[in-house]
Amino acid sequence: GNLNGGFKNSIENYILNAIADAGHAYVYLFTFFLSGVVAMMEKSGGMIGFTQAISKYATSPRTGQLAAYFVGIVIFFDDYANTLLAGQTMRPLIDSLTVSREKLAFFVDATAAPV
């Protein structure tokens, strides 16, 4: 085969069929609407309030990492929701405690799927 035919075949067989599947469509819609809710919470200041409440207890890099871990466990009701909510909520706190975003990504990922 040629590259053009392989590209078209991949798009048709894998991407379009996955989007057309009703189960996949519900996951896409859920993630889309959840990210909209997260954006509204961020714009309204709800996430800052939650982060400020946690910052009373997370005063060092170590306790900030523990807070990110526990927030990932407490917020868990879906792996996509956990990734969006825990990551967006804890990012300002982790940045202020000079913990790398890679560590935050690890904690969010470690608490998203396995729990």
Side-chain angles (χ1 to χ4, degrees), residues 101-112:
R101 287 194 179 175
E102 289 81 6
K103 276 194 176 182
L104 174 62
F106 171 76
F107 287 123
V108 168
D109 183 55
T111 58

Side-chain angles (χ1 to χ4, degrees), residues 47-85:
M47 285 193 170
I48 294 295
F50 184 70
T51 304
Q52 288 174 348
I54 294 173
S55 68
K56 295 176 187 173
Y57 304 104
T59 56
S60 69
R62 178 178 236 157
T63 57
Q65 292 173 51
L66 283 171
Y69 176 75
F70 286 120
V71 164
I73 290 174
V74 169
I75 290 181
F76 183 81
F77 63 89
D78 178 63
D79 52 346
Y80 298 113
N82 185 18
T83 303
L84 286 169
L85 291 171

Side-chain angles (χ1 to χ4, degrees), residues 24-67:
H24 289 149
Y26 286 126
V27 171
Y28 296 141
L29 286 173
F30 174 75
T31 305
F32 177 73
F33 288 126
L34 183 67
S35 54
V37 169
V38 168
M40 284 191 322
M41 286 173 36
E42 190 174 5
K43 294 291 182 188
S44 70
M47 285 193 170
I48 294 295
F50 184 70
T51 304
Q52 288 174 348
I54 294 173
S55 68
K56 295 176 187 173
Y57 304 104
T59 56
S60 69
R62 178 178 236 157
T63 57
Q65 292 173 51
L66 283 171

